Amino acid sequence: MATIRVPDEVPSPAQDSETLNQAFRGWGTDEKAIIRVLGKRNESQRKRIRESYREIYGKDLIDVLTSELSGDFMKAVVLWTYDPAERDARLANNVLNGKKKSIDKLKIIIEISCTTSPNHLIAVRKAYCSLFDLSLEEHIASSVPFPLAKLLVTLATSFRYDKEMVDTEVATIEAGMIREAITTKQLGHDHVLYILGTRSIYQLRATFVAYKQSYGNTLDKDVDGCPGDAELKSLLQMVILCIDFPEKHFAKVVSDSIEGFGTDEDSLTRAIVMRAEIDLMKARGEYFNMYNTSMDNAIIGDVSGDYKDFLLTLLGSNI
């Protein structure tokens, strides 16, 4: 379930564009007005606002937001204002262009590939080609080391069946194929990649259940205990969690971003922005179950100012 709260009566895109333009005028910027408008509009409404703003004022709203705002607040508002496919394409490109492609950074590609709809993933790939003049899979293959690239390309090029139909016999057979790969210490085996990269989310969840019923442990636990490439194991565990419990994954991303010394604002922003219109309500519930505190209170205790207010608005709070 989504967390953003769209008002019952929403102004026209032209009216919202005027409100935003007024917020940019003068000596200072009216950040509260920006939050009030963009933080309470859904994907299609934001798209129409961006189109209307360009038509009326001759400027790209993204460019204006980038020049008028700053810091983590600016990054969060800009990510939210992008079309979701363009947003995710840019997030992936930032990772692939980075000098250090840590496992924590590469999880963004897994999130895009394993926690969104098949049609959204196709839209991301189209946006990637349009924006960067190369394909997402081409960029992964040329910039990420093997065998990680093989797994990520397989996931990024998938087009999964999105209905709830499940074949329990296939689930049992493929659980056995994964088990054999684990016992022979071949986590990167083509069988494993084929299963994870082609089966529907519902079929894979049935396979994970069949694995535990047949072999006693969860698949995640057995992957963790399998000798071999530590980075590949870490990515496979992320894939399993993102497919099985995406809300738990994003609850963990939020927690990891605010725990310890300093805050990983980029990860916090990504988790809230990516899921606010999908399942952030479930992620909030999982956060409370996992950490015995609310996600809202954790954010309030860790960040401040307009950035905090914007994140809380996406979480459904009235600021």
Side-chain angles (χ1 to χ4, degrees):
M1 291 177 61
T3 52
I4 67 161
R5 294 185 179 182
V6 178
D8 293 334
E9 295 185 9
V10 177
S12 69
Q15 289 172 315
D16 278 340
S17 295
E18 172 62 20
T19 300
L20 291 172
N21 194 56
Q22 288 292 333
F24 301 140
R25 297 178 68 177
W27 288 104
T29 302
D30 186 352
E31 289 86 356
K32 302 303 180 189
I34 294 169
I35 294 171
R36 197 164 53 246
V37 173
L38 294 176
K40 296 190 175 184
R41 301 292 186 269
N42 62 32
E43 173 190 341
S44 63
Q45 291 164 341
R46 297 193 306 276
K47 181 179 181 180
R48 289 195 294 270
I49 291 170
R50 191 175 173 189
E51 291 169 349
S52 175
Y53 195 92
R54 179 183 287 279
E55 182 178 329
I56 296 170
Y57 301 106
K59 300 176 183 178
D60 188 335
L61 179 58
I62 295 290
D63 292 339
V64 179
L65 290 168
T66 301
S67 67
E68 293 288 336
L69 307 179
S70 62
D72 296 309
F73 176 53
M74 179 272 289
K75 292 179 183 178
V77 173
V78 166
L79 272 184
W80 180 248
T81 306
Y82 276 130
D83 173 81
E86 180 180 357
R87 174 202 68 209
D88 288 353
R90 290 184 181 278
L91 285 171
N93 184 257
N94 286 340
V95 170
L96 296 173
N97 280 334
K99 291 183 178 180
K100 186 177 180 182
K101 299 175 184 67
S102 66
I103 295 301
D104 192 58
K105 297 290 186 183
L106 291 174
K107 76 167 61 169
I108 295 172
I109 297 173
I110 292 175
E111 290 169 356
I112 295 167
S113 302
C114 297
T115 72
T116 64
S117 71
N119 287 329
H120 177 75
L121 181 55
I122 289 290
V124 172
R125 292 170 63 195
K126 287 181 177 179
Y128 205 95
C129 289
S130 176
L131 289 166
F132 308 114
D133 292 325
L134 80 165
S135 70
L136 173 58
E137 53 270 32
E138 194 179 5
H139 203 173
I140 293 170
S142 64
S143 61
V144 178
F146 188 88
L148 307 184
K150 186 177 180 181
L151 171 62
L152 294 176
V153 167
T154 300
L155 297 173
T157 55
S158 67
F159 186 77
R160 304 178 191 275
Y161 183 67
D162 63 354
K163 302 298 187 293
E164 295 189 28
M165 186 180 298
V166 167
D167 188 323
T168 54
E169 184 177 351
V170 169
T172 300
I173 291 170
E174 294 188 339
M177 294 168 69
I178 295 173
R179 175 68 174 186
E180 182 178 358
I182 290 173
T183 56
T184 57
K185 305 174 185 177
Q186 298 183 69
L187 289 178
H189 195 285
D190 286 348
H191 287 164
V192 176
L193 301 186
Y194 168 79
I195 293 166
L196 293 177
T198 62
R199 295 304 186 194
S200 75
I201 296 300
Y202 300 100
Q203 183 66 40
L204 285 170
R205 288 172 181 170
T207 299
F208 299 162
V209 170
Y211 186 96
K212 188 174 189 306
Q213 290 174 341
S214 298
Y215 308 109
N217 289 332
T218 64
L219 177 56
D220 174 80
K221 184 175 181 179
D222 280 355
V223 167
D224 187 49
C226 180
D229 188 316
E231 291 187 332
L232 179 60
K233 288 198 299 182
S234 182
L235 282 186
L236 283 170
Q237 287 178 290
M238 287 182 203
V239 171
I240 293 165
L241 184 59
C242 282
I243 289 171
D244 211 9
F245 296 108
E247 58 273 18
K248 286 188 177 181
H249 168 78
F250 285 102
K252 186 175 185 300
V253 171
V254 171
S255 177
D256 289 348
S257 70
I258 60 181
E259 287 296 318
F261 182 75
T263 303
D264 180 357
E265 289 87 354
D266 289 346
S267 294
L268 177 59
T269 297
R270 185 182 81 249
I272 302 299
V273 166
M274 284 184 71
R275 308 311 287 188
E277 293 184 275
I278 302 175
D279 61 357
L280 192 54
M281 188 69 75
K282 288 184 177 180
R284 287 171 74 186
E286 286 298 331
Y287 192 96
F288 187 84
N289 292 337
M290 294 165 70
Y291 305 108
N292 201 32
T293 188
S294 76
M295 184 181 291
D296 303 51
N297 286 340
I299 290 172
I300 290 170
D302 205 71
V303 299
S304 60
D306 297 316
Y307 175 55
K308 177 201 71 177
D309 290 346
F310 185 65
L311 294 185
L312 291 177
T313 299
L314 299 188
L315 280 162
S317 297
N318 288 316
I319 301 299

